[in-house]
Amino acid sequence: MKRLLCLPSAYLGLPILLACGLTWLTYDLPADYLPGLLLLAASATAIVWFDVRARVRVPGPALFRARQYAGTRDAFVALAFAGLIVLFCLLDLTLFPIPLLDKPSSYAVMTGGREHIRHVSDMCWVLPPIGLLCARSRWLRNALIVIGFLFPVLVIDRNRLFASVFSFALLIVLRRDEARALPWKSVGLLGLAGSSVFSVLGILRSGPLDHITLPFSAMYRALPLGFKWLLLYGSAGPYNFSAILAKHYSNTSFLINQVVPLHGSVVTAGTDIPLDAPTINVGTEFFPFLMALGPVGAVAAIFVLYGLLRWSVRRLRRTVPLFSLLIFLRIAYVCVMSPFAPQAFTWTNVGFIGLCLVMQVLVAWLPNRRLQEATGDGPGRASATAVASLSPSSFQ
């Protein structure tokens, strides 16, 4: 298991294979839906096969534990970034109705400027990692962690809740003590709590599943409602992908709206997409590519995403820079969630990666206070200190 976590394909190929397996168990699939499922499974298998033979690996826990970010320029910029996100979370909760306390259906209402505020508050998932890595005081660390978990619940955003749980749990695993076993109790508790809240939020948002008329298997129908929501969410993406491939449906507008900022809506509910269940409208990360470019485009998107994942892993080598770590956490998450919904090939995701790269450059230009203290530099020599801080070690 420890070696498996170091494989980049563990965050992309294996989740796709798992989702395909869940789809096979959840539905009595029509015969013409099988090619779509096999296309996803074959692409994921090829990625795992190639990755096992490649040399790119996620660094071991020793390198992650050796890095101490608190008190560094990286931490200063990251905490300022976290403060901005917290401010927008508060604006979201004070200027607009709170879906959990008002009515669950209001989670999808983005009028009155809420959509623009949500572009920033949606990054609340970075608060737990930043709090864990960068906060010196316990109260600040706990506050950032609590806000990162609580805000998605209040706005009934299951995706952000999963992102917070995933990034926090992955950091615990990556920074574990190698002499000890994997922290299964902590990770398992986080997973159980996240899954339970996810199921409850699913019931609040969409109600019971009695009105959904998909070809569910007998095993699925026998499960409790909470498990049904989890299994439905995990399998609906490959199911819809396979259904649209079988129906030869073509539409380029959704991919264009997804990659061009503010060009149009990316919502698939209520459109002319021939979904078997209109309210179950997720379709994997590669769903828009399938509709726009066919199966070849979908497979190409899978391998491009794998290349992006490998790039993020390479940025961790040697020093594990803080903002490279945040980029990896984000890309790893969108890869894990790729069987469910588009999140990687979106302008907001590209914007987050670009923002992290800009902040890393900003860190290099900040005065190095530790270097000032060591050399006796005063305020009048701040510019010289800033130039000196541009050494390779400043990115550590």
Side-chain angles (χ1 to χ4, degrees), residues 178-223:
E178 286 187 291
R180 300 180 181 178
L182 287 172
W184 291 116
K185 291 184 179 180
S186 300
V187 175
L189 182 61
L190 279 172
L192 179 62
S195 300
S196 300
V197 175
F198 176 87
S199 297
V200 173
L201 293 181
I203 296 172
L204 287 174
R205 282 176 55 160
S206 304
L209 297 172
D210 299 336
H211 62 284
I212 299 176
T213 58
L214 293 174
F216 293 119
S217 65
M219 180 211 71
Y220 178 86
R221 297 181 185 279
L223 292 174

Side-chain angles (χ1 to χ4, degrees), residues 117-135:
I117 292 178
R118 190 60 64 85
H119 286 153
V120 180
S121 62
D122 272 352
M123 293 185 286
C124 63
W125 68 268
V126 304
L127 298 179
I130 291 176
L132 182 65
L133 297 174
C134 302

Side-chain angles (χ1 to χ4, degrees), residues 16-33:
I16 294 177
L17 289 173
L18 175 61
C20 290
L22 291 178
T23 305
W24 177 263
L25 294 174
T26 302
Y27 308 94
D28 292 328
L29 289 173
D32 57 344
Y33 283 22

Side-chain angles (χ1 to χ4, degrees), residues 221-241:
R221 297 181 185 279
L223 292 174
L225 182 59
F227 287 99
K228 285 183 177 180
W229 269 115
L230 288 172
L231 204 56
L232 178 62
Y233 193 76
S235 63
Y239 177 88
N240 284 334
F241 182 95

Side-chain angles (χ1 to χ4, degrees), residues 41-63:
S43 301
T45 302
I47 287 175
V48 174
W49 179 86
F50 174 81
D51 203 43
V52 169
R53 287 158 175 76
R55 296 183 178 181
V56 177
R57 295 289 184 271
V58 178
L63 190 58

Side-chain angles (χ1 to χ4, degrees), residues 9-204:
S9 61
Y11 304 95
L12 178 60
L14 296 185
I16 294 177
L17 289 173
L18 175 61
C20 290
L22 291 178
T23 305
W24 177 263
L25 294 174
T26 302
Y27 308 94
D28 292 328
L29 289 173
D32 57 344
Y33 283 22
L34 293 179
L37 198 64
L38 292 176
L39 181 67
L40 291 173
S43 301
T45 302
I47 287 175
V48 174
W49 179 86
F50 174 81
D51 203 43
V52 169
R53 287 158 175 76
R55 296 183 178 181
V56 177
R57 295 289 184 271
V58 178
L63 190 58
F64 285 97
R65 290 179 63 86
R67 283 305 312 267
Q68 298 298 323
Y69 303 101
T72 65
R73 294 172 298 172
D74 302 70
F76 173 78
V77 174
L79 288 172
F81 178 49
L84 178 66
I85 295 173
V86 170
L87 173 62
F88 274 77
C89 289
L90 294 175
L91 289 175
D92 196 324
L93 296 177
T94 55
L95 298 179
F96 307 99
I98 302 176
L100 186 67
L101 305 180
D102 180 48
K103 53 182 180 179
S105 60
S106 65
Y107 79 92
V109 178
M110 293 295 165
T111 58
R114 190 176 196 174
E115 178 183 6
H116 303 295
I117 292 178
R118 190 60 64 85
H119 286 153
V120 180
S121 62
D122 272 352
M123 293 185 286
C124 63
W125 68 268
V126 304
L127 298 179
I130 291 176
L132 182 65
L133 297 174
C134 302
R136 283 176 165 175
S137 62
R138 179 176 297 180
W139 74 266
L140 178 58
R141 178 170 59 250
N142 291 340
L144 291 176
I145 293 173
V146 169
I147 294 172
F149 287 128
L150 182 60
F151 177 77
V153 175
L154 292 175
V155 298
I156 314 185
D157 192 331
R158 297 175 296 178
N159 179 44
R160 295 303 179 272
L161 176 63
F162 263 10
S164 297
V165 171
F166 173 84
S167 59
F168 193 72
L170 184 57
L171 273 184
I172 292 175
V173 172
L174 292 177
R175 292 171 59 86
R176 70 187 185 276
D177 188 344
E178 286 187 291
R180 300 180 181 178
L182 287 172
W184 291 116
K185 291 184 179 180
S186 300
V187 175
L189 182 61
L190 279 172
L192 179 62
S195 300
S196 300
V197 175
F198 176 87
S199 297
V200 173
L201 293 181
I203 296 172
L204 287 174

